[in-house]
Amino acid sequence: MTVLVTGGAGYIGSHTVRSLGESGREVVVLDSLETGHSEALLGADLVVGEIADFDLVTKLCRERNVRSIVHFAAYKSVGESMSHPLRYFSNNVGGSTALIDAAVAAGVEQFVFSSSAAVYGSPARVPVTEDLLPRPESVYAETKWMVERVLSWIGETRGLRSVCLRYFNAAGASFDSAIGEDWSVTTNLVPIVMKATLGKRPPLEVFGSDYPTRDGTGERDYIHVVDLAEGHVKALDYLDVGKPSLTCNLGTGKGSTVLEVLSATERISGCGVPHVFSARRAGDPAVVFADPSLAERELGWRARYGIEEILQTAWTWHSTHVDGY
Ligand code: UD1
């Protein structure tokens, strides 16, 4: 039995491919390499192609005896999703429905979906529990919520069991620095902090210093990418024993503010982080962190690492890979 990982050459995908291999599973990756890197696969089996290619996916699933799919392949920039909404609906929703269609046709039984805490929008309360009604505030978040809904209906009508994992703020790199994030394709805080510290971009803009938080800056639940990867292995273990579809958060349950990220980075790197304060970014909530107890209860998963390991591994990775892979 093989696990098909779409988008396995991307950031979270490549860490998951590695964890799946370490768990003893046979893996094949389907990636267009539009933003992914074949080097990130560390030798795992790669098919270059599109998730929307029905014939390719059905053939691959049948030939390789694929029982489970872990689906990462998607566009992920919130800002770009607002300027190019149809590109996001087409790729993230259209691509996913084509993939699910092919999966069902080829007899795939289990599906793990890379969703996002972005589906909650500005949460009405923290910690965020899964029973909060999603209220997406971007096209990107809407596409994640739409695919969750598609999976729920396909579960009901076709019996495809799924786990939707709503990630909080993924960050960090592998502990041996073999793989990490490509900072040319991200707008997230941690890689931007590293880039500014290494003098590879202008100073970081701290968006807002008047939030109702302990130091006035935004607070988020940063989760180590290796922990996230292990969450996918646990989700497959859960489905493998026949359990029903599930949607759950993957977060640590603890928040860090932007200024806490900066001061820890300064300590770890021994360098100052060039930064300036600017206005709040539109749509940014003050505080978001997860209640991760459902994942612990149902999947037997909990985050092992915190902000120190995240920033330490991110620093080691970026400072040794300033030109990426
Ligand atoms: C991110 C993702 C979202 C994802 C969610 C998971 C983006 C734009 N958003 O949102 O897709 O689903 O996490 O919960 O990719 N900040 C600065 N300066 C910067 C960049 C960020 O001060 O240059 C601050 C933000 O205001 C925020 C924090 O850093 O307080 C984290 O920002 P970011 O990494 O963009 O993540 P989120 O906005 O939480």
Side-chain angles (χ1 to χ4, degrees), residues 78 116-118 140 169 188-189 205-207 220 222 281 284:
V78 171
S116 170
Y140 164 76
N169 294 61
N188 292 123
L189 180 69
E205 276 185 74
V206 178
F207 297 139
R220 295 290 184 276
Y222 297 93
R281 184 170 64 178
D284 270 359

Side-chain angles (χ1 to χ4, degrees), residues 213-288:
T213 59
R214 45 192 176 272
D215 58 24
T217 63
E219 182 179 340
R220 295 290 184 276
D221 187 340
Y222 297 93
I223 168 152
H224 200 289
V225 66
V226 169
D227 276 328
L228 272 186
E230 284 167 6
H232 295 76
V233 177
K234 295 283 191 184
L236 282 179
D237 290 343
Y238 169 95
L239 289 169
D240 280 346
V241 294
K243 293 201 172 153
S245 295
L246 174 74
T247 297
C248 68
N249 293 336
L250 291 185
T252 67
K254 288 196 191 72
S256 302
T257 66
V258 176
L259 288 182
E260 287 166 352
V261 168
L262 295 197
S263 63
T265 303
E266 292 187 339
R267 191 163 22 81
I268 287 163
S269 66
C271 309
V273 182
H275 63 279
V276 293
F277 288 92
S278 64
R280 292 181 179 193
R281 184 170 64 178
D284 270 359
V287 182
V288 184

Side-chain angles (χ1 to χ4, degrees), residues 165-181:
L165 298 173
R166 294 177 174 164
Y167 316 148
F168 284 68
N169 294 61
S174 67
F175 284 85
D176 62 0
S177 247
I179 50 178
E181 191 166 9

Side-chain angles (χ1 to χ4, degrees), residues 21 25 28 34-35 37 55 86 90 102 109 164 176 186 203 210 261 269 275 283 295 305 309 323:
R25 286 177 164 89
V28 61
E34 185 183 334
T35 53
H37 299 275
D55 293 340
L86 287 167
S90 164
E109 295 166 16
C164 294
D176 62 0
T186 171
D210 58 351
V261 168
S269 66
H275 63 279
Y305 306 113
E309 289 96 345
D323 298 316

Side-chain angles (χ1 to χ4, degrees), residues 136-149:
E137 290 173 9
S138 67
V139 170
Y140 164 76
E142 185 70 50
T143 66
K144 292 290 174 185
W145 173 229
M146 287 170 82
V147 175
E148 286 193 14
R149 300 304 305 147

Side-chain angles (χ1 to χ4, degrees), residues 3-8 28-31 49-61 66 68-74 90-114 147 150-151 154 160:
V3 180
L4 171 63
V5 181
T6 75
V28 61
V29 170
L30 174 63
D31 199 298
E50 301 289 336
I51 54 170
D53 185 338
F54 182 91
D55 293 340
L56 171 70
V57 175
T58 46
K59 189 161 169 274
L60 185 59
C61 290
V66 170
S68 312
I69 293 181
V70 182
H71 174 38
F72 292 98
S90 164
N91 189 52
N92 292 10
V93 184
S96 296
T97 55
L99 173 73
I100 294 164
D101 189 10
V104 170
V108 171
E109 295 166 16
Q110 305 173 169
F111 201 95
V112 177
F113 176 55
S114 164
V147 175
V150 170
L151 283 169
I154 299 304
L160 180 71

Side-chain angles (χ1 to χ4, degrees), residues 16-34:
T16 301
V17 166
R18 198 176 191 192
S19 293
L20 287 169
E22 286 165 3
S23 79
R25 286 177 164 89
E26 190 80 28
V27 173
V28 61
V29 170
L30 174 63
D31 199 298
S32 68
L33 297 184
E34 185 183 334

